[in-house]
Amino acid sequence: MCGIVGYVGGEDAAEFLIDGLRRLEYRGYDSAGVAIFGDADIAITRSVGRIQSLADRLGTPPPGTLGLGHTRWATHGPATEENAHPHIGGDGEVVLVHNGVIENYQALKDGLIEKGYQFTSATDSEVIAHLIAEGLAQTPPTDDQPHARYVTAVQWAIGQLRGTYGLAVVFRDKPGFLIAARFGSPLVIGVGRGEYFVASDASPIAGRTDRIVYLADHQLAVLTADGFSVLHRDSGKVRVNIQPLEAESGEVSLNGYEHYMLKEIYEQPDALRNAMRGRLNDQDATAVFGGLNLTPQQLRSVERIILTGCGTSWHSALVGEYMIEELARIPVCVEYASELRYRNPPIENNTLVFGITQSGETADTLAALNETKRKGHRTLAICNVVGSSIAQASDGGVYLHAGPEIGVASTKAFTSQCCVLAMLALYFGRTRHTSFETGERIIEDLRRLPAMIEQALTCDAEVRKVAEKYQSASNVLYLGRRYNFPTALEGALKLKEISYIHAEGYPAAEMKHGPIALVDADTPSVFIMPRGTTYDKVLSNMEEVKARGGPVIAIASSEDTEIRKIADDVITIPEAPEFLQPIITVVPLQLLSYHIAVLRGCDVDKPRNLAKSVTVE
Ligand code: G6P
């Protein structure tokens, strides 16, 4: 996992490299490095920690119009300077950055060590650098085709790799020349005037050029300041499809907030307004989606929907399952993307597969969509990042328009995804059972959502007090039913992610089958129980926890006065129709984990061991 950047052109490379790495920091932030090709030599600077540490160490960057950069999320070997990229191959004739995982690295490494190559890191990536050096050693120089030897060496090296790679490589003896290659890890080329950019996604390139090439698997790009070409790994040149760059460079300032996570929690009313803008049609009491690319016949013939994603996006898929099954009466199946890819379930014709993803870069989600697409199913994306790999790879989709989400723990993307799923439920429902009147009511409820979230946010001070009380807990249970079961999972995930407190989310009634054994005076249980179908049942579960001496916190409707007699702490939220409750009830849970993490002195926006987007399997 990691982010890579490369530059060749007429300007100094350093500014693009550092700025580009900052934009890719969501892919990993445990160490970073750059290589800048100056007049005589390649200067490599590496540093443990964030891009800022690298920038500080770099000071005034060396001049040079060719360069590579890398931000790392450790897979093989801990986050040390030796394991940070760029890596060197041979005696320094090859300098490389890599994103991906090489599964057969140990066997390749053993072979290279036997040949006398010396390794200085524990990474799988260094193997590729030495392999390319070996490829060069085996390929004699030719006078007539000066690039051919380098291309052949890279082709030979990547031909031996098993696993995934997006890589960029420069050569000590070949100034002004860069090769990029991709298999399984996304890579794009920005096409400028007299300059070319390489990056793991379009975000570093946005604002530098508006023309982009999305490399496909098995493709290599050869770049100089004068031009570029794309080759297939095994065959010759391929036709290049230069596309307009859609990605937004995005607003990334803190805007007075202490952390991005808090800012993004407070942005939710606007994020939802943006998700709904232009998508609610009063005349037909339905939702409209320009990018689904479904004909009315295809829409009518959908018999099943698969929702897939990872992490928080998987939780919104669970919410979507409840919404679509209840409102549209279409069977929905929710799959972890990482399982869907290898589980090979039977998928009937007329099944739609939605990949839900904030970043559009999550490797498992991308692979799951590619796998189902390969089997002939229509794949659609519910995605935030415009022009991302998953947006590119799908047959159509819906953008969230939530704006950049920088905090690693997802907040506004979750509520925006749920909102889009509610609109999809309306859209599918109106092609079948949902009446005009019900459609009108759903639209009215959706329109009230931003105001309901604004009201839910007023609980912030109350939540902060609850956070102070429970900040030292070692275990927390989150319990809810129906629409609020996924919220329980999401609340628990938020707490784990940013405060490092163990937490579990459960359907409230399932608590009796195991988790209740954890209940004691030091284990608080958070009950998500706004008024609705299962309220009384959840109330009984709460009594069961109280009877065993467990502290209980209730997330309850503002009209619920009785609950204060039972719960130790109550956080109130506005009344909402059941299908929209998860979008409201999650707000106090986001705030609770945020305040607990701050009180415990945790790095809220960049928690340990995590990355905003997981770009390896
Ligand atoms: C990582 C992030 C989570 C996110 C998940 C899926 O684990 O830390 O916050 O939910 O990836 O990311 P995606 O971009 O596909 O929604």
Side-chain angles (χ1 to χ4, degrees), residues 117 159 169 188 271 283 307 312 395 474 500 557:
Y117 286 89
V169 51
V188 300
Q283 202 171 342
L307 302 175
T312 289
D395 297 316
S474 304
Y500 319 139
S557 307

mmCIF file with all atom_site columns, all heavy atoms in Angstrom, residues 117 159 169 188 271 283 307 312 395 474 500 557:
data_model
loop_
_atom_site.group_PDB
_atom_site.id
_atom_site.type_symbol
_atom_site.label_atom_id
_atom_site.label_alt_id
_atom_site.label_comp_id
_atom_site.label_asym_id
_atom_site.label_entity_id
_atom_site.label_seq_id
_atom_site.pdbx_PDB_ins_code
_atom_site.Cartn_x
_atom_site.Cartn_y
_atom_site.Cartn_z
_atom_site.occupancy
_atom_site.B_iso_or_equiv
_atom_site.pdbx_formal_charge
_atom_site.auth_seq_id
_atom_site.auth_comp_id
_atom_site.auth_asym_id
_atom_site.auth_atom_id
_atom_site.pdbx_PDB_model_num
ATOM 1  N N   . TYR A 1 117 ? 23.718  -9.785  -5.052  1.00 0.00 ? 117 TYR A N   1
ATOM 2  C CA  . TYR A 1 117 ? 23.032  -8.513  -4.751  1.00 0.00 ? 117 TYR A CA  1
ATOM 3  C C   . TYR A 1 117 ? 22.898  -8.350  -3.242  1.00 0.00 ? 117 TYR A C   1
ATOM 4  O O   . TYR A 1 117 ? 22.614  -9.310  -2.531  1.00 0.00 ? 117 TYR A O   1
ATOM 5  C CB  . TYR A 1 117 ? 21.649  -8.479  -5.415  1.00 0.00 ? 117 TYR A CB  1
ATOM 6  C CG  . TYR A 1 117 ? 21.753  -8.271  -6.909  1.00 0.00 ? 117 TYR A CG  1
ATOM 7  C CD1 . TYR A 1 117 ? 21.865  -9.358  -7.778  1.00 0.00 ? 117 TYR A CD1 1
ATOM 8  C CD2 . TYR A 1 117 ? 21.794  -6.991  -7.446  1.00 0.00 ? 117 TYR A CD2 1
ATOM 9  C CE1 . TYR A 1 117 ? 21.990  -9.175  -9.141  1.00 0.00 ? 117 TYR A CE1 1
ATOM 10 C CE2 . TYR A 1 117 ? 21.924  -6.799  -8.818  1.00 0.00 ? 117 TYR A CE2 1
ATOM 11 C CZ  . TYR A 1 117 ? 22.018  -7.888  -9.659  1.00 0.00 ? 117 TYR A CZ  1
ATOM 12 O OH  . TYR A 1 117 ? 22.156  -7.698  -11.010 1.00 0.00 ? 117 TYR A OH  1
ATOM 13 N N   . GLY A 1 159 ? 8.103   -9.339  -15.424 1.00 0.00 ? 159 GLY A N   1
ATOM 14 C CA  . GLY A 1 159 ? 7.619   -10.642 -15.891 1.00 0.00 ? 159 GLY A CA  1
ATOM 15 C C   . GLY A 1 159 ? 7.803   -11.727 -14.839 1.00 0.00 ? 159 GLY A C   1
ATOM 16 O O   . GLY A 1 159 ? 7.147   -12.765 -14.891 1.00 0.00 ? 159 GLY A O   1
ATOM 17 N N   . VAL A 1 169 ? 10.376  4.100   -12.027 1.00 0.00 ? 169 VAL A N   1
ATOM 18 C CA  . VAL A 1 169 ? 11.799  3.820   -11.910 1.00 0.00 ? 169 VAL A CA  1
ATOM 19 C C   . VAL A 1 169 ? 12.609  4.803   -12.762 1.00 0.00 ? 169 VAL A C   1
ATOM 20 O O   . VAL A 1 169 ? 12.186  5.173   -13.855 1.00 0.00 ? 169 VAL A O   1
ATOM 21 C CB  . VAL A 1 169 ? 12.084  2.327   -12.261 1.00 0.00 ? 169 VAL A CB  1
ATOM 22 C CG1 . VAL A 1 169 ? 11.464  1.925   -13.565 1.00 0.00 ? 169 VAL A CG1 1
ATOM 23 C CG2 . VAL A 1 169 ? 13.546  1.988   -12.255 1.00 0.00 ? 169 VAL A CG2 1
ATOM 24 N N   . VAL A 1 188 ? -1.522  6.532   -12.847 1.00 0.00 ? 188 VAL A N   1
ATOM 25 C CA  . VAL A 1 188 ? -1.974  7.439   -13.911 1.00 0.00 ? 188 VAL A CA  1
ATOM 26 C C   . VAL A 1 188 ? -0.799  8.273   -14.396 1.00 0.00 ? 188 VAL A C   1
ATOM 27 O O   . VAL A 1 188 ? 0.175   8.499   -13.668 1.00 0.00 ? 188 VAL A O   1
ATOM 28 C CB  . VAL A 1 188 ? -3.107  8.374   -13.414 1.00 0.00 ? 188 VAL A CB  1
ATOM 29 C CG1 . VAL A 1 188 ? -4.309  7.573   -12.937 1.00 0.00 ? 188 VAL A CG1 1
ATOM 30 C CG2 . VAL A 1 188 ? -2.626  9.296   -12.300 1.00 0.00 ? 188 VAL A CG2 1
ATOM 31 N N   . ALA A 1 271 ? -22.960 18.253  3.298   1.00 0.00 ? 271 ALA A N   1
ATOM 32 C CA  . ALA A 1 271 ? -22.620 17.095  2.460   1.00 0.00 ? 271 ALA A CA  1
ATOM 33 C C   . ALA A 1 271 ? -23.902 16.426  1.965   1.00 0.00 ? 271 ALA A C   1
ATOM 34 O O   . ALA A 1 271 ? -24.012 16.043  0.795   1.00 0.00 ? 271 ALA A O   1
ATOM 35 C CB  . ALA A 1 271 ? -21.769 16.110  3.254   1.00 0.00 ? 271 ALA A CB  1
ATOM 36 N N   . GLN A 1 283 ? -42.015 15.971  -9.391  1.00 0.00 ? 283 GLN A N   1
ATOM 37 C CA  . GLN A 1 283 ? -43.074 15.694  -10.368 1.00 0.00 ? 283 GLN A CA  1
ATOM 38 C C   . GLN A 1 283 ? -43.425 14.203  -10.422 1.00 0.00 ? 283 GLN A C   1
ATOM 39 O O   . GLN A 1 283 ? -44.585 13.826  -10.477 1.00 0.00 ? 283 GLN A O   1
ATOM 40 C CB  . GLN A 1 283 ? -42.587 16.151  -11.734 1.00 0.00 ? 283 GLN A CB  1
ATOM 41 C CG  . GLN A 1 283 ? -43.721 16.396  -12.660 1.00 0.00 ? 283 GLN A CG  1
ATOM 42 C CD  . GLN A 1 283 ? -43.230 17.060  -13.925 1.00 0.00 ? 283 GLN A CD  1
ATOM 43 O OE1 . GLN A 1 283 ? -42.132 17.621  -13.982 1.00 0.00 ? 283 GLN A OE1 1
ATOM 44 N NE2 . GLN A 1 283 ? -44.044 16.997  -14.947 1.00 0.00 ? 283 GLN A NE2 1
ATOM 45 N N   . LEU A 1 307 ? -24.405 -5.294  -2.615  1.00 0.00 ? 307 LEU A N   1
ATOM 46 C CA  . LEU A 1 307 ? -23.691 -4.098  -2.157  1.00 0.00 ? 307 LEU A CA  1
ATOM 47 C C   . LEU A 1 307 ? -22.386 -4.562  -1.529  1.00 0.00 ? 307 LEU A C   1
ATOM 48 O O   . LEU A 1 307 ? -22.397 -5.429  -0.647  1.00 0.00 ? 307 LEU A O   1
ATOM 49 C CB  . LEU A 1 307 ? -24.519 -3.351  -1.110  1.00 0.00 ? 307 LEU A CB  1
ATOM 50 C CG  . LEU A 1 307 ? -25.919 -2.883  -1.522  1.00 0.00 ? 307 LEU A CG  1
ATOM 51 C CD1 . LEU A 1 307 ? -26.643 -2.271  -0.320  1.00 0.00 ? 307 LEU A CD1 1
ATOM 52 C CD2 . LEU A 1 307 ? -25.843 -1.873  -2.659  1.00 0.00 ? 307 LEU A CD2 1
ATOM 53 N N   . THR A 1 312 ? -16.066 1.299   6.892   1.00 0.00 ? 312 THR A N   1
ATOM 54 C CA  . THR A 1 312 ? -17.280 2.094   7.053   1.00 0.00 ? 312 THR A CA  1
ATOM 55 C C   . THR A 1 312 ? -18.202 1.966   5.843   1.00 0.00 ? 312 THR A C   1
ATOM 56 O O   . THR A 1 312 ? -19.428 1.957   5.979   1.00 0.00 ? 312 THR A O   1
ATOM 57 C CB  . THR A 1 312 ? -16.873 3.564   7.289   1.00 0.00 ? 312 THR A CB  1
ATOM 58 O OG1 . THR A 1 312 ? -16.295 3.636   8.589   1.00 0.00 ? 312 THR A OG1 1
ATOM 59 C CG2 . THR A 1 312 ? -18.046 4.502   7.205   1.00 0.00 ? 312 THR A CG2 1
ATOM 60 N N   . ASP A 1 395 ? -19.275 0.503   -14.554 1.00 0.00 ? 395 ASP A N   1
ATOM 61 C CA  . ASP A 1 395 ? -20.116 0.798   -15.726 1.00 0.00 ? 395 ASP A CA  1
ATOM 62 C C   . ASP A 1 395 ? -20.911 2.086   -15.537 1.00 0.00 ? 395 ASP A C   1
ATOM 63 O O   . ASP A 1 395 ? -21.549 2.566   -16.470 1.00 0.00 ? 395 ASP A O   1
ATOM 64 C CB  . ASP A 1 395 ? -21.105 -0.358  -15.951 1.00 0.00 ? 395 ASP A CB  1
ATOM 65 C CG  . ASP A 1 395 ? -20.376 -1.658  -16.272 1.00 0.00 ? 395 ASP A CG  1
ATOM 66 O OD1 . ASP A 1 395 ? -19.432 -1.605  -17.072 1.00 0.00 ? 395 ASP A OD1 1
ATOM 67 O OD2 . ASP A 1 395 ? -20.738 -2.708  -15.707 1.00 0.00 ? 395 ASP A OD2 1
ATOM 68 N N   . SER A 1 474 ? -11.904 0.205   28.908  1.00 0.00 ? 474 SER A N   1
ATOM 69 C CA  . SER A 1 474 ? -11.081 -0.649  28.040  1.00 0.00 ? 474 SER A CA  1
ATOM 70 C C   . SER A 1 474 ? -11.932 -1.366  27.008  1.00 0.00 ? 474 SER A C   1
ATOM 71 O O   . SER A 1 474 ? -11.428 -1.814  25.975  1.00 0.00 ? 474 SER A O   1
ATOM 72 C CB  . SER A 1 474 ? -10.361 -1.711  28.869  1.00 0.00 ? 474 SER A CB  1
ATOM 73 O OG  . SER A 1 474 ? -9.613  -1.099  29.865  1.00 0.00 ? 474 SER A OG  1
ATOM 74 N N   . TYR A 1 500 ? -8.385  3.684   20.120  1.00 0.00 ? 500 TYR A N   1
ATOM 75 C CA  . TYR A 1 500 ? -7.712  2.416   20.437  1.00 0.00 ? 500 TYR A CA  1
ATOM 76 C C   . TYR A 1 500 ? -8.365  1.707   21.624  1.00 0.00 ? 500 TYR A C   1
ATOM 77 O O   . TYR A 1 500 ? -7.710  0.960   22.342  1.00 0.00 ? 500 TYR A O   1
ATOM 78 C CB  . TYR A 1 500 ? -6.201  2.607   20.680  1.00 0.00 ? 500 TYR A CB  1
ATOM 79 C CG  . TYR A 1 500 ? -5.537  3.580   19.717  1.00 0.00 ? 500 TYR A CG  1
ATOM 80 C CD1 . TYR A 1 500 ? -4.583  4.501   20.158  1.00 0.00 ? 500 TYR A CD1 1
ATOM 81 C CD2 . TYR A 1 500 ? -5.870  3.589   18.376  1.00 0.00 ? 500 TYR A CD2 1
ATOM 82 C CE1 . TYR A 1 500 ? -3.987  5.390   19.279  1.00 0.00 ? 500 TYR A CE1 1
ATOM 83 C CE2 . TYR A 1 500 ? -5.279  4.480   17.488  1.00 0.00 ? 500 TYR A CE2 1
ATOM 84 C CZ  . TYR A 1 500 ? -4.351  5.386   17.952  1.00 0.00 ? 500 TYR A CZ  1
ATOM 85 O OH  . TYR A 1 500 ? -3.764  6.272   17.082  1.00 0.00 ? 500 TYR A OH  1
ATOM 86 N N   . SER A 1 557 ? -34.513 9.259   21.254  1.00 0.00 ? 557 SER A N   1
ATOM 87 C CA  . SER A 1 557 ? -35.274 10.363  20.651  1.00 0.00 ? 557 SER A CA  1
ATOM 88 C C   . SER A 1 557 ? -35.512 11.472  21.674  1.00 0.00 ? 557 SER A C   1
ATOM 89 O O   . SER A 1 557 ? -35.697 11.193  22.866  1.00 0.00 ? 557 SER A O   1
ATOM 90 C CB  . SER A 1 557 ? -36.647 9.872   20.181  1.00 0.00 ? 557 SER A CB  1
ATOM 91 O OG  . SER A 1 557 ? -36.498 8.763   19.355  1.00 0.00 ? 557 SER A OG  1
#
